[in-house]
Amino acid sequence: MAPAITLAAEAPKLSSANTGFMLIASALVLIMTPGLAFFYGGMVRVKSTLNMLMMSFISMGIVTILWVLYGFSMSFGTDHGSLIGWTGDYLGWTGIDKMDLWPGYTIPVFVFAVFQMMFAIITPALISGALADRVKFSAWALFLVLWATIVYFPVAHWVWGTGGWAFELGVIDFAGGTAVHINAGAAALGVILVIGKRVGFKKDPMRPHSLPLVMLGAGLLWFGWFGFNAGSWLGNDDGVGPLMFVNTQIATGAAMLAWLAYEKIRHGAFTTLGAASGAVAGLVAITPSGGAVSPLGAIAVGAIAGVACAAAVGLKFRFGYDDSLDVVGVHMVGGIVGSLLIGFFASGKGQSDVKGLFYGGGLDQFWKQCAGVFAVLAYSLVASAILAFLLDKTIGMRVTEDEEVSGIDQAEHAETAYDFSGAGGGVAGSVTASALAAAQSKKVDA
């Protein structure tokens, strides 16, 4: 009988199923940025609608180019000192062949790179909601370039890159609680502490001008988030991706209900804005934790985040920082809650065998989560504040007070979101409407 031959494990082969799934997931993540634009655009006053939309849309152009040129290399290249990545072949994606597979997986490098590109696009766009009504568009565009380079790309390597210090420590962040939401929320806080409040903050009414637009944006975010979360496992071979998909839905529903219950008890009404914001809070909180917790754990994560974020949005009035659209209250706080609760609700039956306190695992994972959460928070807050300060002292971050009062849309984009003339578009329509109004006024006076 011939001696037995032990064969080495076969190298992964390209999976058309996983590759197709990841391309769909990438498209779902991309649609989240227009969804975010509508969500934020409906929450501002009429005179700032287009600017709010553009602050998200411009990220789709700027960050795409940065990611191809050097961002992917900085985030997922060969580790250097546990702080940054760098691989020459990833610069401009010139050294990547269409059939090269991402190490250890069954999808091409190009597919992994474009999936992560969509994360890089939406993360700085999240910051824009805190800066509504008052930031020069040119300054915002330059801030995007600097922030992505100095903050997002390194932090993505810390959390997800092989060799990154948080990754090696064992910090769990399935799809971006630290790298995306805490990172963006802390950055928002850092910038608004530098540039100051809107004209009329806490004095003038600043209610959302279009709640239907807010609900549309929230719906697109909820839809796209399934790609954001379930896609982050990079395939569906072991059931973890489907678990994340299920937990995403469960936590979001729980958070929305919890926010509305808090709102009814505290303020006496169930609001549409509360429903939309509660859903987003649940999506944020389950993003880092959904691969580690059970469906019952997802209910707990969502409910806790819904109440915590609903309570947190009011802190801006108590402490006087003007977080226009509650980026700090929803994204930073929601990211912190979702990340830290892994230390309590990790079941050991999801993405790894790590167990939280409530499953007999002690507090070991909780302390690891604390290290990741507060390191990212501190770095992003300080670095973002410094960037905002430097830009403000050089090119200036804010529009003039007159431009802010009259409307940033007209000042920065020479457009308005809606035509209120009532007599068709264009100058002629406006003139006709004005003449008609004057004639009617004379009749009334007579």
Side-chain angles (χ1 to χ4, degrees):
M1 184 175 180
I5 300 175
T6 303
L7 298 176
E10 290 188 11
K13 297 180 180 179
L14 187 145
S15 165
S16 57
N18 285 339
T19 298
F21 169 73
M22 289 305 301
L23 289 173
I24 293 170
S26 300
L28 287 171
V29 181
L30 179 62
I31 206 171
M32 291 171 67
T33 299
L36 180 73
F38 288 130
F39 182 69
Y40 282 168
M43 290 174 70
V44 296
R45 291 169 287 180
V46 169
K47 62 184 180 181
S48 304
T49 307
L50 294 180
N51 180 252
M52 202 72 262
L53 295 174
M54 281 292 288
M55 289 178 82
S56 287
F57 265 76
I58 194 63
S59 184
M60 297 168 70
I62 290 175
V63 179
T64 293
I65 302 305
L66 297 182
W67 190 251
V68 173
L69 294 178
Y70 59 83
F72 181 58
S73 181
M74 288 179 65
S75 300
F76 292 99
T78 302
D79 176 69
H80 294 275
S82 297
L83 296 175
I84 198 70
W86 194 259
T87 296
D89 285 347
Y90 293 166
L91 296 179
W93 297 4
T94 56
I96 303 173
D97 184 80
K98 66 180 184 296
M99 291 301 292
D100 289 344
L101 298 186
W102 187 243
Y105 292 89
T106 59
I107 61 173
V109 175
F110 275 135
V111 173
F112 176 76
V114 80
F115 179 69
Q116 288 294 336
M117 175 194 288
M118 305 313 177
F119 282 67
I121 287 170
I122 196 171
T123 304
L126 292 172
I127 302 169
S128 66
L131 316 180
D133 300 330
R134 59 201 190 275
V135 174
K136 293 178 182 177
F137 190 69
S138 56
W140 169 247
L142 183 53
F143 178 83
L144 275 178
V145 174
L146 297 174
W147 190 85
T149 303
I150 295 170
V151 181
Y152 181 78
F153 299 157
V155 169
H157 182 75
W158 297 357
V159 175
W160 292 320
T162 301
W165 70 264
F167 181 87
E168 297 300 325
L169 179 64
V171 176
I172 294 175
D173 186 356
F174 194 98
T178 52
V180 176
H181 297 290
I182 295 173
N183 200 6
L189 181 58
V191 174
I192 59 182
L193 290 177
V194 171
I195 67 171
K197 309 174 183 67
R198 287 169 290 179
V199 175
F201 176 64
K202 295 203 291 187
K203 297 177 182 178
D204 299 337
M206 297 181 178
R207 293 184 293 271
H209 88 278
S210 176
L211 287 170
L213 204 60
V214 173
M215 297 298 278
L216 171 64
L220 287 172
L221 284 169
W222 195 331
F223 176 70
W225 223 292
F226 289 112
F228 192 84
N229 280 357
S232 290
W233 199 240
L234 307 184
N236 288 312
D237 298 326
D238 57 5
V240 176
L243 172 66
M244 184 56 159
F245 191 107
V246 167
N247 283 344
T248 297
Q249 178 67 18
I250 293 169
T252 306
M256 180 176 65
L257 296 177
W259 185 301
L260 288 173
Y262 175 91
E263 197 171 51
K264 177 64 174 178
I265 293 168
R266 187 71 185 271
H267 304 294
F270 304 111
T271 69
T272 50
L273 182 60
S277 299
V280 173
L283 291 164
V284 170
I286 203 62
T287 291
S289 58
V293 303
S294 69
L296 283 177
I299 293 176
V301 169
I304 293 169
V307 173
C309 292
V313 297
L315 295 178
K316 62 184 180 183
F317 299 110
R318 180 179 300 177
F319 295 107
Y321 60 89
D322 186 8
D323 176 17
S324 308
L325 308 183
D326 302 319
V327 179
V328 176
V330 173
H331 292 277
M332 191 180 84
V333 173
I336 291 171
V337 169
S339 296
L340 295 185
L341 287 179
I342 293 170
F344 296 94
F345 291 104
S347 68
K349 297 180 180 180
Q351 66 186 88
S352 70
D353 59 2
V354 171
K355 295 181 178 180
L357 178 65
F358 297 156
Y359 288 81
L363 288 171
D364 182 60
Q365 189 61 37
F366 175 74
W367 297 122
K368 292 179 181 179
Q369 296 303 119
C370 286
V373 163
F374 293 110
V376 170
L377 191 158
Y379 177 69
S380 183
L381 190 152
V382 173
S384 303
I386 292 172
L387 289 175
F389 178 80
L390 293 175
L391 288 174
D392 195 44
K393 295 302 180 183
T394 50
I395 64 173
M397 282 285 284
R398 295 190 62 146
V399 297
T400 67
E401 183 173 330
D402 287 344
E403 289 173 335
E404 183 179 334
V405 171
S406 62
I408 195 171
D409 283 359
Q410 192 65 53
E412 289 291 297
H413 307 290
E415 298 171 305
T416 56
Y418 306 100
D419 176 15
F420 293 113
S421 68
V427 175
S430 298
V431 171
T432 303
S434 298
L436 180 60
Q440 291 173 338
S441 177
K442 288 181 180 178
K443 288 181 180 180
V444 172
D445 291 339

